[in-house]
Amino acid sequence: MNNASNLYLYKREGGYLPRVAAVHDLCGYGKCSLGVAIPVLSAAGIDVCPVPTSLFSAHTRFPKFYMHDTTPMLTDYLDAWREEGIELDGIYSGFLGSAEQVDAILRLYREYPKALRIVDPVMGDGGSKYPTYTDEMCEATKGLVDGADVLTPNLTEASIITGIPYESQDVDEKYVRCMMDALLGMGAKSVVLKGVVHEGEAVIRNYVAVSGGNGEPEEVSGELLPYMLHGTGDLFASGLTAAIYAGLSLYEAVEFACKLVRDAMRITPDQPDYQVRGVSFESVLGDVTALLA
């Protein structure tokens, strides 16, 4: 019976560097999105090919930010890739700039049918959508669920996708099972549901379920630190992707991503303006490189 512990999505061979398209926004100030994905994946020996979905002066937690939507350029951008005969081993998507950008990702799926599809459906947190996300964008993002090799929503994003009402981060296993069954039923091949926290506990729980598995989500828990930081979701998904392409099982990759985020968060309060600047991942990149040892 398949489960996350014996699901290996990528076999590393020799000195070949897997090539992964990272479809995310780029922030000038604030540690998130491509600013996290490029160094983390590169540290794992991955040839990262960015597809910028939007350009931000700073991330959306800042009260003042400038956003440039790159949708008009994406057709020509991807046309040039095809003309050059670029090949991909994976497509890792995150924050989008418009509903139309889902079509660009679906195009990549059609043109690179053998590439792994890792979908971080970045839409919101804490029961609310992010400021730039519209209902139309959320509806379009649902189109990335069917066929996703790995889907990594938090509880808010899972609620948006499934229509199951968001309750809080303190939910029981019955709710988790219902949510994950719904996501697998929509066509995801595996789901990592993030961020379950029970009141009074210093533990954060993530759950992993695999299509065709034994039906029981597998829990991966870790220490809950007493502060929240911007960019931890991007670091988690990037660390997970790095570990998958290093040859770890899905369960092992989730364990690695949890530890990577925790260790980076511990370093972060020593930095100026850390609460808005975001998670300081730079000092833990050596842990990513060590995946290849």
Side-chain angles (χ1 to χ4, degrees):
M1 188 75 72
N2 289 334
N3 57 46
S5 300
N6 61 25
L7 179 61
Y8 293 86
L9 293 169
Y10 187 81
K11 183 179 179 181
R12 196 87 177 210
E13 296 184 352
Y16 176 74
L17 301 180
R19 187 174 297 141
V20 175
V23 189
H24 301 255
D25 66 296
L26 177 63
C27 279
Y29 190 80
K31 300 167 188 278
C32 60
S33 305
L34 285 175
V36 172
I38 293 173
V40 171
L41 270 61
S42 296
I46 295 170
D47 181 356
V48 189
C49 303
V51 180
T53 58
S54 50
L55 306 177
F56 282 86
S57 59
H59 62 64
T60 59
R61 187 167 179 179
F62 287 89
K64 175 67 176 178
F65 60 86
Y66 167 78
M67 174 188 176
H68 174 73
D69 178 4
T70 62
T71 302
M73 70 171 230
L74 288 183
T75 297
D76 290 341
Y77 191 99
L78 297 180
D79 284 349
W81 278 16
R82 289 310 304 163
E83 290 173 16
E84 289 296 329
I86 292 170
E87 294 299 330
L88 296 174
D89 300 293
I91 299 157
Y92 162 40
S93 61
F95 187 97
L96 304 180
S98 71
E100 291 78 12
Q101 291 183 350
V102 171
D103 291 334
I105 298 171
L106 294 175
R107 170 186 172 173
L108 287 171
Y109 290 171
R110 291 191 302 270
E111 294 181 351
Y112 303 96
K114 295 182 180 181
L116 279 179
R117 303 175 183 182
I118 299 175
V119 179
D120 187 17
V122 181
M123 293 183 284
D125 203 0
S128 301
K129 299 192 299 291
Y130 291 131
T132 61
Y133 262 72
T134 63
D135 290 342
E136 180 188 13
M137 289 177 66
C138 292
E139 187 63 31
T141 300
K142 295 179 185 180
L144 299 176
V145 174
D146 189 13
D149 289 290
V150 185
L151 181 73
T152 65
N154 60 32
L155 287 163
T156 299
E157 292 153 353
S159 173
I160 292 170
I161 291 169
T162 63
I164 297 171
Y166 174 84
E167 295 183 357
S168 69
Q169 286 187 264
D170 188 356
V171 294
D172 60 21
E173 290 186 6
K174 181 179 178 181
Y175 181 92
V176 168
R177 175 71 179 271
C178 178
M179 189 70 81
M180 299 190 84
D181 283 350
L183 292 167
L184 292 170
M186 294 175 68
K189 297 178 183 179
S190 67
V191 176
V192 181
L193 184 65
K194 305 176 296 183
V196 174
V197 177
H198 299 317
E199 186 176 354
E201 293 185 0
V203 176
I204 185 166
R205 292 175 168 83
N206 304 290
Y207 291 88
V208 193
V210 176
S211 178
N214 59 16
E216 291 296 329
E218 299 176 73
E219 180 183 315
V220 181
S221 59
E223 179 185 5
L224 176 67
L225 298 177
Y227 47 88
M228 300 293 291
L229 294 173
H230 192 89
T232 53
D234 294 326
L235 180 57
F236 181 96
S238 295
L240 174 72
T241 301
I244 287 171
Y245 280 95
L248 273 63
S249 73
L250 179 58
Y251 187 89
E252 292 169 333
V254 174
E255 285 187 314
F256 175 80
C258 290
K259 182 179 183 299
L260 190 73
V261 172
R262 181 200 65 197
D263 292 349
M265 288 183 69
R266 283 177 173 166
I267 296 165
T268 303
D270 295 333
Q271 317 310 319
D273 302 321
Y274 76 91
Q275 289 178 314
V276 290
R277 179 99 167 99
V279 62
S280 298
F281 63 89
E282 294 87 349
S283 295
V284 298
L285 288 176
D287 296 336
V288 184
T289 303
L291 288 169
L292 303 179

